[in-house]
Amino acid sequence: MDKLIKMVETMKPFFEKVSNNIYLRAIRDGFVSCIPVILFSSLFILVACVPEIFDYKWPEAVSSVLWQAYNYSMGMLGILMVATIAKSLTDSINTKMPKLRQINDVSVMIVSIICLLLLAVAPVDGGISTEFMGTKGLLSAFVVAFSVPNIYKFFVKRNITIKLPDEVPHYIAQTFADLIPLSVAVMVYWIFGIVFKEATGMMFGAWILEVFKPLFVAADGYIGVAIIYGAMAMFWFVGIHGPSIVEPAVTAIYIANIEANLQIVNAGGHATNILTHPTSYFVATLGGTGATLMFCAMCAFIAKSKQLRAVGRASIIPVTFAVNEPILFGAPIVLNPVLFVPFILAPILNVWIFKFFVDGLGMNAFTYILPWTTPAPIGLIIGTGFAKLAFVLAPLLLVVDAVLYYPFFRVYDAQLVEKEKAGAVEAADETAVAVPAAPVVTEADLPNDEKRVLVLCASGATSSMLAKAITKGAEHRHAPVESIAMAYGQHKDIITDFDLIVLAPQMASMYDELKSDCDAKGVKSATTSGREYVGLTRDPDKALDFALALMAH
């Protein structure tokens, strides 16, 4: 097992390189930006459809209004995603461009929308079809969002532009500077769309869906889901945020499947598409990547090791809401050979059992999207439309995960007990994870002017734990320090609003880029180890000292 772990760890630089890929990051950032829209639209669908499960049907007028909110939000997702992905990619490209020769991200967003319409939306009598403006247009949106910023880059980097006299105001000159790449991008997609339809008899948006259909089907099979969710766990095991690598590649499948399931159920059919965001949230990752909820519960309530008991009790609440970094780094699970097998296998077995319930027992797959922080058993029941079998599946998955983790938990617990008895491991107390020594800031050293700290992680959940700890420490000691959390990528335009930006450990592969951005704008930056980060989240005073020491350095 140690040899296997070392082999996996040697591949970490490659995994980190993949994680840093600007195109995968652009998909992830674009999706994160659209999550509020997806959740908003899902609320209306829940209100519109769930009553029918209990034999109540809304009047036609009410139902029409509810579906209207869905159609004009989720139904426009392709349009929204092409703009947000293109902006994220443009921001990444701009970091390598000269400071006085930056690509206009607003112009790129506008042109990307136009190009998507030219590529994937067909004209109909009196208007245009909306079929490929939503989830069916996501693959086309990726093509457009990846190419348009590069067209702009070609012209902006070479300063190929319409030059105006110096007396012309900058904002007017910028309009003309954007005119050449804008015109070229629109012309390219206009001509390509016409030629492609003449040659194939299909709009590009419909054609690309047909091309990728076999991949969608294969990904939904037993082997496909095993590879996808096993890979997420494998990346996390070596300390890299797995979903940030894997999910961008399957986001289009996730979103297309959830809408397809909804349409099938509304038509009275059996929804069988497995790969969806809720499957990841509420089946594969019960308690976070690795399905760690039951392992955390065992640590909290039956562990004999003081270390595991302390970590489990400190982590059980966030893990219940799928924030499992405290247990991943606190136990630790990351790079722990004893826990490798259940950490990889639990997500795979969970999804296989779910697939058997859907394919073999006739249960409907997920039709609704809920926030990923919804406790998994609740999300599983609601997301499947209160399917009767979901009330059986939810506790069954918990039992399966407990049985799978238990023997490995016992071995690891016994190892720690022996080490604690021998004094090789300092026993953690009953309420907190030990925090490494950090400079203590005296009351006299507290800043007089206001300081702002930003903490970043993949989704803004783990980072909120440290941000809240810093804020609590500041309130307790009456220090003028404010701290907030965000998902990585959301900080790009507001770096200078902060005095310090801290990167959570699972995003450490992004630190070189963050440091470069922060150094260019005179802002302090830092990252931490997993163990240190978990400890800081449990000790507000130490968290405040940690932030102040970095800002004073």
Side-chain angles (χ1 to χ4, degrees), residues 3 55 57 88 307 361 545:
K3 290 180 180 178
D55 295 325
K57 189 172 181 65
S88 175
Q307 175 180 321
L361 302 181
D545 288 342

Side-chain angles (χ1 to χ4, degrees), residues 1-9 234 340:
M1 184 62 71
D2 287 338
K3 290 180 180 178
L4 177 61
I5 300 305
K6 288 179 181 178
M7 182 185 72
V8 172
E9 195 171 12
M234 179 68 78
F340 175 80

Side-chain angles (χ1 to χ4, degrees), residues 453 455 465-475 481-483 500 502 536 539-540 543-544 546-547:
V453 180
V455 189
M465 298 171 67
L466 180 56
K468 289 176 181 177
I470 294 172
T471 299
K472 286 181 180 179
E475 291 173 350
V481 178
E482 293 183 0
S483 182
L500 170 67
V502 181
L536 292 171
D539 192 326
L544 177 63
F546 169 80

Side-chain angles (χ1 to χ4, degrees), residues 216-499:
F216 280 39
V217 174
D220 225 39
Y222 283 98
I223 295 177
V225 295
I227 292 172
I228 290 167
Y229 294 111
M232 286 187 194
M234 179 68 78
F235 289 132
W236 243 128
F237 189 79
V238 296
I240 299 173
H241 194 270
S244 68
I245 299 176
V246 178
E247 287 195 340
V250 294
T251 291
I253 303 176
Y254 276 177
I255 298 175
N257 280 351
I258 196 77
E259 179 153 335
N261 284 345
L262 178 63
Q263 292 174 354
I264 291 169
V265 170
N266 286 340
H270 175 211
T272 60
N273 295 301
I274 298 298
L275 272 181
T276 63
H277 280 106
T279 302
S280 178
Y281 300 158
F282 311 130
V283 176
T285 58
L286 278 165
T289 302
T292 54
L293 179 58
M294 295 310 294
F295 173 76
C296 186
M298 287 185 277
C299 291
F301 302 117
I302 65 174
K304 295 179 180 179
S305 158
K306 293 180 180 179
Q307 175 180 321
L308 280 188
R309 191 163 61 246
V311 170
R313 292 178 181 179
S315 305
I316 189 65
I317 293 178
V319 169
T320 300
F321 294 92
V323 180
N324 71 336
E325 282 81 354
I327 197 72
L328 291 179
F329 294 113
I333 295 175
V334 171
L335 288 175
N336 185 337
V338 178
L339 299 173
F340 175 80
V341 170
F343 189 74
I344 303 298
L345 288 186
I348 296 173
L349 285 179
N350 284 356
V351 179
W352 279 358
I353 293 170
F354 173 57
K355 184 169 174 59
F356 171 74
F357 268 62
V358 172
D359 294 347
L361 302 181
M363 174 180 162
N364 277 326
F366 286 99
T367 51
Y368 310 112
I369 299 179
L370 298 167
W372 63 271
T373 50
T374 306
I378 297 173
L380 172 57
I381 291 169
I382 298 177
T384 54
F386 294 90
K388 293 178 181 178
L389 284 173
F391 290 90
V392 177
L393 177 61
L396 175 61
L397 294 180
L398 295 176
V399 171
V400 168
D401 291 346
V403 170
L404 182 58
Y405 266 104
Y406 184 77
F408 300 92
F409 158 76
R410 274 302 181 204
V411 170
Y412 186 49
D413 188 38
Q415 289 179 353
L416 291 180
V417 168
E418 289 302 313
K419 289 181 180 179
E420 288 169 2
K421 286 179 179 178
V425 174
E426 180 182 350
D429 64 38
E430 294 294 322
T431 58
V433 177
V435 183
V440 177
V441 178
T442 64
E443 300 304 311
D445 294 328
L446 293 176
N448 295 318
D449 56 331
E450 185 180 69
K451 300 293 183 182
R452 296 187 180 92
V453 180
L454 173 63
V455 189
L456 298 172
C457 70
S459 63
T462 308
S463 52
S464 69
M465 298 171 67
L466 180 56
K468 289 176 181 177
I470 294 172
T471 299
K472 286 181 180 179
E475 291 173 350
H476 177 250
R477 292 161 63 181
H478 306 289
V481 178
E482 293 183 0
S483 182
I484 64 170
M486 288 184 179
Y488 191 91
Q490 295 178 331
H491 68 291
K492 297 279 189 180
D493 297 329
I494 55 174
I495 290 177
T496 54
D497 292 347
F498 300 92
D499 302 284

Side-chain angles (χ1 to χ4, degrees), residues 135-156:
T135 59
K136 288 186 177 181
L138 286 179
L139 293 178
S140 302
F142 294 168
V143 172
V144 173
F146 290 166
S147 57
V148 170
N150 281 293
I151 292 174
Y152 269 73
K153 177 184 176 182
F154 178 86
F155 289 97
V156 174

